[in-house]
Amino acid sequence: MLYLKNGYLIDPASGTEGHRDILIKDGKIAGILPQGTDSGKKENLEAIDLKGQYIIPGLVDVHVHFRDPGFTYKEDICSGAEAAARGGFTSVVLMANTKPAVDNAETLSYVLEKGRETGIHVYTCANVTKGMQGRELTDMETLSRLGAAGFTDDGIPLLDEELLRSALQCAARLQRPVSLHEENPALIRNNGVNAGRAAAHFGIGGSPREAEISMVERDLRIAVTQEADLSIQHISTREAVELVRQAKRLSSHIYAEATPHHFTLTQEAVIRHGTLAKMNPPLREEEDRLAIIEGLRDGTIDMIATDHAPHSTEEKAKPLTEAPSGIIGLETALSLGIRELVRKGYLSMSELVRKMSYAPAQLYRLDAGYVAEGGPADLVVLDPDGQWVVDGFASRAVNSPFIGETMPGVISYTICQGKIVYRGNRN
């Protein structure tokens, strides 16, 4: 048994906030007790004095890339899970753009089996279309029955309207969400860099905002007539935020996610950091960043997801137009949320935790993201006043524009299924 004493519990699911002691037994929360409850006489009890640190639900990231199978030199399921635990995530949902893609039972089973070997909960989406080719739907029913948490061709937009409509109809029957990557390739000359000041700086065409706006507008028009849960992934433009806001008035099945890098950085970061700040969709303008924050504040954007996208150092060292897009994010996400959203007054700590735990868990129907007696003992112990420097990662990759920055919020423990899977040792 594990006994967490003298902590400050923040559970956005129940609205509980205050000093509590927590008793953990057999992977479940056995008791949420008033602070100072005498549990010292219980046998086999490991007591940890938290000295007022926060206790929050284990974080849930529903948009990560662990590159396994096919690209394990970038990351694999084990190293990705270690990075997740270090960042406070006890549940992750993997994207399906692996090699082979997760469009078949064998690959799906491989990912889920390997995920069970880690210390956290590893789920995965399956592909919407076979081979991510956008021409034929996968056997969504079989993949759902075998454990697919949702469906996505993340990295490639679904251009065929009728195929999208059919996918949403099937997903509605299966009660699985569909997540969409919203960039029209016909409008993009060079992906990963905003077609504005950043593209002009490098003398390239870049990726215009219309590439996202046009896809979001079309897909929401289709989605509001369906009963499937649809999530707009890694939103980057103020126009797309407004489109989601309007669509939510017409349907309760519309969701959106924002990444920490999109609510923290603008295209100026690409000018400073080059390929380390190249990503799809690209970092845009300050007005877009502020619109994303407002969307998080008013509930238009339901959740925060990292789009953890590891690449090798050699790949990111290539010229800007040749290097792959994406940054790692699992280990910096919570701190960026505290720094950019909580400390600047946009969200309360409880609201931030909700968007990083309970809300994404609800969309994917995961038993996660809350703290309750009898519920899963998936918890994070956080020192909100501590600081650490981004220098070294549990991830196999190091492609981050935040290296060298001082971050608030030090994770002391990540606990999953009642077991400590990470003990903090950050500087």
Side-chain angles (χ1 to χ4, degrees):
M1 289 189 292
L2 189 62
Y3 189 58
L4 306 179
K5 62 180 185 178
N6 299 324
Y8 187 86
L9 174 62
I10 300 175
D11 175 40
S14 64
T16 301
E17 188 165 339
H19 291 94
R20 300 288 192 279
D21 292 352
I22 295 183
L23 181 64
I24 296 170
K25 182 179 180 181
D26 298 329
K28 300 289 186 179
I29 295 176
I32 300 175
L33 310 168
Q35 189 177 65
T37 301
D38 183 13
S39 296
K41 296 181 181 180
K42 292 184 181 292
E43 296 180 3
N44 302 318
L45 185 66
E46 179 185 356
I48 302 176
D49 189 348
L50 303 184
K51 298 182 175 66
Q53 295 183 78
Y54 290 166
I55 304 171
I56 62 175
L59 304 182
V60 178
D61 192 343
V62 295
H63 189 158
V64 302
H65 300 267
F66 282 1
R67 309 300 193 195
D68 190 354
F71 306 98
T72 53
Y73 66 93
K74 302 173 188 268
E75 189 85 283
D76 62 26
I77 291 170
C78 293
S79 64
E82 290 179 9
R86 191 171 188 258
F89 292 92
T90 55
S91 298
V92 295
V93 177
L94 310 188
M95 296 295 98
N97 57 341
T98 51
K99 188 176 182 180
V102 189
D103 62 357
N104 62 87
E106 182 179 2
T107 305
L108 174 63
S109 297
Y110 164 82
V111 172
L112 293 177
E113 285 294 330
K114 196 166 182 181
R116 281 190 277 271
E117 297 172 5
T118 72
I120 68 168
H121 305 286
V122 176
Y123 307 91
T124 188
C125 284
N127 294 112
V128 177
T129 67
K130 293 182 178 180
M132 300 179 64
Q133 296 298 307
R135 292 192 289 266
E136 182 181 0
L137 292 182
T138 58
D139 185 349
M140 295 172 68
E141 184 171 350
T142 296
L143 293 169
S144 176
R145 177 168 46 81
L146 292 175
F151 295 93
T152 183
D153 279 1
D154 180 46
I156 300 177
L158 195 56
L159 298 177
D160 188 316
E161 290 191 28
E162 288 306 312
L163 205 61
L164 173 60
R165 189 172 282 107
S166 296
L168 291 174
Q169 290 168 356
C170 186
R173 292 194 301 271
L174 299 171
Q175 295 188 311
R176 294 288 188 271
V178 173
S179 299
L180 297 179
H181 184 110
E182 303 287 38
E183 289 187 294
N184 187 342
L187 302 180
I188 299 172
R189 290 179 59 189
N190 307 100
N191 69 2
V193 179
N194 186 50
R197 174 170 154 73
H201 175 83
F202 292 107
I204 61 177
S207 175
R209 61 197 311 107
E210 290 77 18
E212 175 176 275
I213 297 164
S214 61
M215 291 298 299
V216 171
E217 185 174 32
R218 188 208 71 173
D219 292 346
L220 290 177
R221 172 173 49 80
I222 295 170
V224 295
T225 67
Q226 306 297 318
E227 296 298 315
D229 291 334
L230 180 138
S231 178
I232 303 298
Q233 296 181 302
H234 41 43
I235 201 163
S236 74
T237 61
R238 57 187 180 273
E239 292 91 346
V241 174
E242 182 58 31
L243 287 168
V244 170
R245 184 177 286 116
Q246 294 173 13
K248 278 176 169 280
R249 297 179 183 132
L250 302 175
S251 171
S252 62
H253 295 283
I254 304 301
Y255 298 84
E257 62 178 47
T259 71
H261 43 273
H262 283 112
F263 66 66
T264 298
L265 302 173
T266 68
Q267 62 185 341
E268 302 300 321
V270 187
I271 296 172
R272 292 195 305 273
H273 299 289
T275 63
L276 288 181
K278 179 186 178 184
M279 60 201 63
N280 298 339
L283 300 170
R284 303 220 186 254
E285 301 174 5
E286 176 67 2
E287 291 83 358
D288 299 300
R289 188 185 74 85
L290 292 175
I292 290 168
I293 291 174
E294 177 60 20
L296 287 164
R297 191 196 65 78
D298 71 9
T300 298
I301 301 173
D302 308 87
M303 54 202 161
I304 293 169
T306 67
D307 191 14
H308 177 80
H311 294 292
S312 71
T313 301
E314 293 75 18
E315 288 171 323
K316 278 294 192 178
K318 292 180 179 181
L320 184 70
T321 56
E322 300 175 23
S325 294
I327 70 170
I328 57 173
L330 285 165
E331 298 172 58
T332 53
L334 180 57
S335 289
L336 287 170
I338 293 170
R339 189 181 80 181
E340 299 297 325
L341 302 176
V342 176
R343 294 197 171 179
K344 294 182 179 179
Y346 297 112
L347 298 180
S348 68
M349 190 65 195
S350 180
E351 289 168 335
L352 174 66
V353 172
R354 183 183 186 88
K355 291 182 184 294
M356 297 186 73
S357 60
Y358 188 65
Q362 288 295 103
L363 173 60
Y364 278 80
R365 296 172 173 82
L366 308 179
D367 186 23
Y370 66 99
V371 182
E373 290 189 8
D378 298 347
L379 302 166
V380 176
V381 176
L382 172 73
D383 176 3
D385 298 320
Q387 293 186 326
W388 61 285
V389 176
V390 182
D391 182 16
F393 298 95
S395 172
R396 184 166 288 174
V398 297
N399 51 305
S400 170
F402 300 112
I403 292 173
E405 294 191 19
T406 299
M407 295 282 184
V410 173
I411 295 172
S412 301
Y413 300 95
T414 301
I415 299 167
C416 189
Q417 301 178 87
K419 298 179 181 178
I420 297 173
V421 294
Y422 173 74
R423 294 178 185 265
N425 55 7
R426 285 171 166 168
N427 49 332

